[in-house]
Amino acid sequence: MKIAVFGGSFCPVTAGHVDAISRAAKLVDKLYVVIGINYTKQYAISLQDRLQLLRNALKNNANIVVDSTDGLMTDYCKKVKANFMIKSVRNATDLQEVIDLTEINKRFWQGETVFLACEQKYSHISSSLVRELVAHKQPIDDLVPSGLAERIVQLLQAGDKR
C-alpha cells in the first residue's frame, strides 16, 4: 500500500493547495493531509477552523485523511507508515526550501520526499496573498476552494489565533 503525507500550515487553504493535494491523492492509496503546528508562529486562523476548512475543501477525495500534528512531520510519517512525503513546489524559492527540508528529513525518516510541480495557473497563489487581499477587502473567490471564500474572510477578519 502506498501511503503519503502532504503537510502544511494551510492558513488558509488555497485553490492551489486543493489542486496539488487532489493530484497527489491520485498517486497513492492513502494520503494524509497534515497541518503542522509550529508553536513559534502566530496563525491568523485557529487550528480547528483550518482543519474544518481543509475537510470541506477535500471532502470529495475518499482516500484523504485530514489531521494535525505538533511534532515533526517525519515522526508523523513514521506513525502512519508513510512511504512518501509529497511537497508542492510553486517556484524556485519553494524548490530550494523543499530541497533543504529533504536533506533534514533524511536524518529522521527513511521515506522519500517527492516534489509535485504546481499547475501554472496556481503558481501565484499563496496563503499570505489571500490574507493580504482580505486585509484590504479585495475578493478572493478565485484563489480559494469553491464555496469557502466567505468563511475564510470571516475567519481572517476575526483576528490572529493560535
Side-chain angles (χ1 to χ4, degrees), residues 14-23 88-91 94 117-127 129 141-146:
T14 69
H17 289 135
V18 172
D19 177 69
I21 292 166
S22 296
R23 290 188 297 123
S88 179
V89 177
R90 290 179 301 133
N91 53 40
D94 281 359
C118 176
E119 291 286 340
Q120 185 64 36
K121 66 183 177 181
Y122 299 113
S123 65
H124 67 288
I125 302 173
S126 67
S127 294
L129 171 66
D141 299 76
D142 59 332
L143 305 178
V144 299
S146 178

Side-chain angles (χ1 to χ4, degrees):
M1 182 173 213
K2 292 184 284 185
I3 300 171
V5 170
F6 190 112
S9 61
F10 307 105
C11 191
V13 61
T14 69
H17 289 135
V18 172
D19 177 69
I21 292 166
S22 296
R23 290 188 297 123
K26 293 175 185 174
L27 302 174
V28 296
D29 299 305
K30 186 174 230 176
L31 180 65
Y32 290 88
V33 178
V34 182
I35 297 176
I37 303 165
N38 181 340
Y39 289 104
T40 65
K41 283 187 172 182
Q42 287 285 345
Y43 294 103
I45 300 173
S46 73
L47 174 61
Q48 291 309 314
D49 287 327
R50 286 182 285 148
L51 285 165
Q52 191 58 51
L53 288 169
L54 265 176
R55 288 183 179 120
N56 288 342
L58 301 170
K59 64 185 172 197
N60 295 326
N61 298 71
N63 68 329
I64 291 178
V65 175
V66 175
D67 201 1
S68 65
T69 184
D70 61 359
L72 294 174
M73 204 59 70
T74 52
D75 288 340
Y76 190 92
C77 287
K78 287 188 253 186
K79 179 177 108 175
V80 299
K81 298 179 177 26
N83 315 91
F84 309 97
M85 186 182 302
I86 300 176
K87 300 297 287 181
S88 179
V89 177
R90 290 179 301 133
N91 53 40
T93 302
D94 281 359
L95 180 60
Q96 188 59 57
E97 288 178 16
V98 172
I99 289 170
D100 293 345
L101 182 64
T102 298
E103 289 304 312
I104 298 298
N105 289 348
K106 287 179 184 178
R107 291 181 175 187
F108 304 107
W109 172 63
Q110 302 307 307
E112 290 292 333
T113 302
V114 177
F115 305 169
L116 185 64
C118 176
E119 291 286 340
Q120 185 64 36
K121 66 183 177 181
Y122 299 113
S123 65
H124 67 288
I125 302 173
S126 67
S127 294
S128 55
L129 171 66
V130 171
R131 292 192 305 270
E132 182 77 13
L133 290 172
V134 168
H136 292 284
K137 302 194 182 328
Q138 297 300 309
I140 60 166
D141 299 76
D142 59 332
L143 305 178
V144 299
S146 178
L148 295 182
E150 185 177 332
R151 181 67 178 139
I152 289 171
V153 169
Q154 289 171 345
L155 292 168
L156 289 173
Q157 288 177 342
D160 285 357
K161 294 188 172 111
R162 265 225 179 277

